[in-house]
Amino acid sequence: MVQALPVEILLGIYLGVLTGMFPALVAWGLGFIVRYFTGVSIPAFGVVVLALALAGINGGLLALSDPAVTESGFRIVVALLVVLMLSLYAHAKGDKMGAEFPRRLSFKRLRERTLSSDVVEFVGSRGEVEVEVVGEVIDMEGYPPVSEATREAIKNGDWRFPADIPISELESRFVERLKTDLDLVDVSVRIDERGKATVIAAPPLSGISKRVPAGHRAVSIDALVPTGLARGDEVLVLSDDLVVEGAVIAARSGKKEEKAATDGGTAAGDAPPAPVAAPTTTGGEGRITVAVPRSDAEKLLSIQRGTVVVTARGTRREFELISLLRRAGKRFRKLTVKPDSDLDGVTLAAINVREVHDVAVLAVKRPDGWEVAPRGDTELTAGDDLFVAGRHEALNSFQEVVA
């Protein structure tokens, strides 16, 4: 039976509050979580649609237990208005709290997991971690199985890395180390907070064709090979008036290496030779294979013997400076000023980065170019990339201000 208008309004408000509490809680949670982690507000229309759907479920359950709930259409309209107001209000409050709440966690930081402190070994003033490969080395799908010798080299290798880097960066460095030391064609690595690694690997490809750059040719010559020559070294091959520059992709010298190559065998059923980390020559008479431009390949093929001269790659002062700063405990980091950051629209002098945050802004990168060693009157804007130097703890603290 339909009640008087004031009674219907009260019943509608009661029904709206009863069915709208859960949708309002969901709207607040979505508004807070999305704004806190991403900095983006959910459109109000989406919140309204979701709230009405949840309220409809609650109202339907109430109608099943008490059919009198749906006797009056006016009562339902009032209830829907109450649900909408509750949901919009809860969403607005959640969005505001997400914007104002101190940001100490983000999706980026969830990805940038760090190692547990009890697995870090301190060597001098820096921390190191020894990555341990656990379980069996898994064969990568689409490639031949990895040899037992390579599996043992992966599991029993001495894999040490700096401990002050995120686990994602540690995984990338481990992959590059495995590819370089064991000549693996492809590797996938997962490392947990305890420094335990799971490795999926593909064996080295036979031959040297994959090491020859495009537009180059591989040529082998007899020569007096320097001690310590390794793959990747840049050399000059001299013979009479001929001078050819190339990169070493294979080298062999000395009786010990020749015996090792002979003992490895290539007959069917023979086990492949065990991989050697960072192989270098022992020096003496031998043979090297160099990758040279196509135009120089014919010149090298015309000589019987050459003289090998290793060229220097040189040093750079900025690398020496970075090394000195690292020895003093300093680290470097690139930070991007976010639109809602406290640094957006302020100058370096105003935030007083050196005294307050104990860091130094080395450079600012903008779409229109770089500003190296910025002055105090440099104004920061959203989207600027800051290259900052300081101790690890100070950088972490300053990153919270920038983000």
Side-chain angles (χ1 to χ4, degrees):
M1 186 177 69
V2 179
Q3 307 290 334
L5 182 61
V7 177
E8 289 295 324
I9 294 175
L10 291 176
L11 289 175
I13 295 175
Y14 170 74
L15 181 61
V17 172
L18 190 64
T19 59
M21 287 190 298
F22 179 69
L25 179 62
V26 172
W28 177 89
L30 287 176
F32 175 80
I33 293 174
V34 174
R35 185 61 184 272
Y36 180 79
F37 284 108
T38 67
V40 178
S41 297
I42 299 179
F45 177 76
V47 176
V48 167
V49 172
L50 178 62
L52 288 178
L54 295 175
I57 296 175
N58 292 340
L61 295 176
L62 288 176
L64 290 176
S65 60
D66 185 7
V69 171
T70 58
E71 286 183 356
S72 172
F74 185 80
R75 183 188 310 172
I76 295 177
V77 172
V78 173
L80 289 176
L81 292 176
V82 173
V83 171
L84 292 179
M85 289 188 293
L86 286 176
S87 301
L88 290 174
Y89 178 78
H91 171 258
K93 287 298 181 181
D95 187 79
K96 182 179 180 181
M97 290 183 64
E100 298 176 352
F101 202 77
R103 297 187 176 180
R104 300 184 180 276
L105 190 64
S106 65
F107 286 147
K108 181 179 180 181
R109 294 192 180 183
L110 288 174
R111 293 194 301 267
E112 293 183 353
R113 299 170 299 139
T114 55
L115 294 166
S116 177
S117 59
D118 56 353
V119 301
V120 178
E121 300 177 10
F122 286 93
V123 180
S125 60
R126 62 177 298 184
E128 289 187 348
V129 60
E130 181 178 3
V131 175
E132 179 185 357
V133 179
V134 296
E136 293 297 327
V137 177
I138 304 172
D139 294 323
M140 185 168 289
E141 186 176 356
Y143 291 92
V146 178
S147 66
E148 291 300 325
T150 304
R151 295 179 193 273
E152 290 299 321
I154 294 174
K155 289 183 63 67
N156 300 326
D158 184 16
W159 311 116
R160 291 182 175 272
F161 301 92
D164 58 347
I165 58 177
I167 292 181
S168 58
E169 175 66 18
L170 183 62
E171 291 173 344
S172 299
R173 294 195 185 187
F174 193 17
V175 167
E176 292 301 320
R177 181 84 176 274
L178 289 171
K179 287 183 177 180
T180 302
D181 290 3
L182 302 179
D183 200 24
L184 301 176
V185 65
D186 199 5
V187 186
S188 177
V189 171
R190 288 293 179 267
I191 302 176
D192 62 15
E193 290 82 355
R194 305 288 301 175
K196 308 294 185 181
T198 302
V199 177
I200 303 175
L205 293 180
S206 59
I208 61 173
S209 59
K210 69 185 183 70
R211 303 177 193 149
V212 180
H216 287 62
R217 295 292 184 268
V219 179
S220 298
I221 61 170
D222 295 324
L224 182 64
V225 180
T227 301
L229 191 67
R231 187 171 64 241
D233 284 339
E234 298 175 359
V235 297
L236 294 177
V237 180
L238 311 178
S239 178
D240 297 331
D241 296 333
L242 178 65
V243 179
V244 176
E245 183 178 359
V248 177
I249 57 178
R252 186 180 65 183
S253 66
K255 295 181 179 179
K256 181 178 180 181
E257 290 182 346
E258 292 178 359
K259 182 177 184 299
T262 303
D263 291 343
T266 57
D270 290 346
V276 180
T280 59
T281 57
T282 58
E285 291 293 334
R287 192 171 179 83
I288 70 169
T289 302
V290 291
V292 297
R294 185 182 306 172
S295 58
D296 294 330
E298 293 184 2
K299 301 176 184 179
L300 281 184
L301 290 173
S302 63
I303 67 174
Q304 298 295 326
R305 179 181 174 83
T307 301
V308 178
V309 178
V310 181
T311 59
R313 293 185 176 178
T315 58
R316 300 180 65 175
R317 294 298 181 185
E318 54 266 34
F319 292 156
E320 296 179 6
L321 175 61
I322 291 175
S323 178
L324 291 174
L325 289 174
R326 284 189 174 276
R327 292 177 187 176
K330 305 296 183 181
R331 296 293 182 265
F332 302 88
R333 191 171 299 177
K334 184 182 80 169
L335 305 174
T336 302
V337 179
K338 302 299 182 182
D340 53 353
S341 169
D342 296 336
L343 304 187
D344 187 10
V346 302
T347 62
L348 290 175
I351 58 177
N352 205 3
V353 290
R354 291 183 180 273
E355 286 73 14
V356 176
H357 302 286
D358 194 25
V359 298
V361 179
L362 305 180
V364 179
K365 181 182 179 183
R366 297 190 173 101
D368 57 349
W370 288 77
E371 185 174 352
V372 182
R375 302 174 63 89
D377 57 356
T378 300
E379 182 175 343
L380 304 178
T381 57
D384 289 349
D385 290 331
L386 309 182
F387 292 82
V388 188
R391 296 190 178 275
H392 185 68
E393 297 78 8
L395 290 175
N396 288 339
S397 177
F398 185 63
Q399 184 173 355
E400 296 178 1
V401 178
V402 175

